[in-house]
Amino acid sequence: MDLMKFKGVDNAVKMTIRLSIGYCVVLTIAFITCIIYQTMKLEKAYSQALVIDKNGEVYEASGMPASNMRRFEYINHVKTFVGKWYAFDENTYEKNITSALNLIGNKGKELLNEYNDVNMLNSLVQKNIRYGVSIDEIVIEMGTIPVTGKILFTQTGYRARGKISRKVEAEFSIYDVSRSEENAHGAKIEDWIVHYSAPIEDNQEEYNNTQPEKSDEHEN
């Protein structure tokens, strides 16, 4: 038996193994390099991306942590609720209240009972009054479980012979739910604790042709 032949075969196998390992190392390095290169290209593309809104305005897009984006949604959600629950007239009352109830949890039933107890709709009709709100400040604490916050706003009631305003501060918690057409932010408010300041009257005559504030302005 020719032992040299076996030695040659053994050397060939070892050479094949070395080449295979070498190819694997090269391919691995090439793959990692490609991933890094593509990641850098994507980051550069994101940093240079432009957004065109429906009005034709152009903006530069920038990356942002998901928690920051969620915070903005919570802010808009609470503003939308306040704009619907505290701003209305006899024509928009029922629509606003129905819409606002989709944005708040069980606390909404208590708030609705308060309106029903004073017969709010009848009061709007009889006194020819409308309400508007302006947001003064809103704070969302993302570090708490559940997420909590507070909002300060001014509610103004407009009548034919003047107006009356009061500061309202509300503390609340907010939690995530499934998104829907009625609740695009996928959130609901709970623990709505309200503090009212003393009302301030202004007896200067108001003109009834002033249009009621539309709560839809508080939505995105």
Side-chain angles (χ1 to χ4, degrees), residues 106-173:
N106 292 327
K107 190 69 175 181
K109 296 178 182 178
E110 297 179 27
L111 298 177
L112 181 60
N113 287 336
E114 293 176 6
Y115 277 166
N116 290 337
D117 288 343
V118 298
N119 202 351
M120 177 61 76
L121 181 57
N122 184 65
S123 178
L124 294 171
V125 175
Q126 295 296 326
K127 298 179 181 179
N128 191 24
I129 189 172
R130 65 181 176 86
Y131 290 99
V133 297
S134 61
I135 308 295
D136 300 312
E137 182 183 11
I138 181 169
V139 176
I140 299 291
E141 297 291 347
M142 297 295 292
T144 60
I145 301 176
V147 174
T148 57
K150 65 178 181 179
I151 184 170
L152 179 66
F153 60 95
T154 302
Q155 183 186 40
T156 304
Y158 298 93
R159 298 173 296 185
R161 295 184 178 179
K163 60 185 179 181
I164 184 168
S165 300
R166 62 179 178 177
K167 292 287 186 181
V168 184
E169 182 177 347
E171 301 172 15
F172 57 88
S173 60

Side-chain angles (χ1 to χ4, degrees), residues 159-218:
R159 298 173 296 185
R161 295 184 178 179
K163 60 185 179 181
I164 184 168
S165 300
R166 62 179 178 177
K167 292 287 186 181
V168 184
E169 182 177 347
E171 301 172 15
F172 57 88
S173 60
I174 190 166
Y175 58 95
D176 296 335
V177 297
S178 299
R179 296 177 189 266
S180 65
E181 184 177 353
E182 295 77 18
N183 189 336
H185 296 119
K188 281 204 173 183
I189 299 165
E190 198 52 86
D191 302 323
W192 188 259
I193 302 172
V194 185
H195 309 279
Y196 300 101
S197 70
I200 301 174
E201 290 194 50
D202 182 351
N203 293 320
Q204 291 183 1
E205 206 164 308
E206 283 285 319
Y207 293 97
N208 287 328
N209 60 356
T210 304
Q211 292 298 318
E213 180 175 340
K214 294 182 180 178
S215 61
D216 292 342
E217 293 176 359
H218 297 277

Side-chain angles (χ1 to χ4, degrees), residues 80-82 84-85 95-105:
T80 300
F81 172 76
V82 168
K84 290 180 178 296
W85 195 264
K95 177 183 177 182
N96 281 15
I97 296 306
T98 299
S99 180
L101 286 173
N102 292 311
L103 310 180
I104 192 168

Side-chain angles (χ1 to χ4, degrees), residues 14-29:
K14 289 180 178 180
M15 179 62 69
T16 301
I17 293 172
R18 292 192 188 99
L19 290 173
S20 298
I21 293 173
Y23 288 143
C24 289
V25 171
V26 171
L27 288 173
T28 300
I29 294 173

Side-chain angles (χ1 to χ4, degrees), residues 65-81:
S67 60
N68 287 356
M69 291 298 297
R70 193 58 176 148
R71 177 174 171 273
F72 294 146
E73 286 189 312
Y74 288 151
I75 289 173
N76 189 265
H77 185 88
V78 177
K79 285 184 176 181
T80 300
F81 172 76

Side-chain angles (χ1 to χ4, degrees), residues 56-69:
E57 296 290 337
V58 180
Y59 308 93
E60 288 188 3
S62 58
M64 183 177 295
S67 60
N68 287 356
M69 291 298 297

